[in-house]
Amino acid sequence: MDVSTQISPKGSPVTVVHFPQGSLSAVNAPTIRGELSRILTEQPGHLLLDLSRITLIDSMGLSVLVSAQRNCRSAGYQLKLAGLQEQAKLIFAVTRLDSIFESYLSVADALAAFPAP
């Protein structure tokens, strides 16, 4: 995962996590869960997950995202998603997680949606 800090158009620092090409599944969910937990501990703040290169998300992958969302909310920060592919959009709709997560077409669109500091 590629991690960087960007400043939203409204001036908020946002940690942006670009996921590598592939899946978010039972195979890599424990590793990704640990990485996201580490990121939130070392760089507390708003979080943007760029999932544009993720082609498959299974139930374990969803649990990683739900856990990250819960951790952000409990700390008073926002988590947003960017670049969901068709399979991911479908799984979010079927599980109704699309009502819990804010999802945007691009990283730029998601950055613009973060509040001012």
Side-chain angles (χ1 to χ4, degrees):
M1 291 190 297
D2 178 37
V3 180
S4 65
T5 300
Q6 296 187 27
I7 303 299
S8 76
K10 296 175 187 162
S12 290
V14 178
T15 301
V16 181
V17 179
H18 300 277
F19 282 70
Q21 181 75 35
S23 66
L24 179 51
S25 64
V27 173
N28 58 7
T31 302
I32 292 174
R33 183 185 307 272
E35 278 295 302
L36 290 177
S37 178
R38 181 189 61 76
I39 290 166
L40 288 168
T41 300
E42 293 176 3
Q43 299 172 289
H46 299 306
L47 188 61
L48 170 54
L49 304 181
D50 176 9
L51 302 175
S52 61
R53 296 185 292 179
I54 297 293
T55 56
L56 173 85
I57 300 177
D58 70 6
S59 61
M60 289 297 292
L62 287 176
S63 74
V64 168
L65 298 176
V66 169
S67 177
Q69 174 74 293
R70 188 177 308 123
N71 291 339
C72 280
R73 280 190 179 169
S74 69
Y77 301 114
Q78 292 183 10
L79 179 141
K80 298 184 189 308
L81 306 176
L84 289 178
Q85 299 297 313
E86 289 307 312
Q87 184 273 343
K89 286 180 186 177
L90 178 61
I91 199 87
F92 272 77
V94 167
T95 59
R96 298 197 182 263
L97 288 174
D98 57 353
S99 66
I100 296 172
F101 287 93
E102 289 184 46
S103 178
Y104 298 86
L105 292 176
S106 69
V107 168
D109 291 342
L111 277 172
F114 281 97

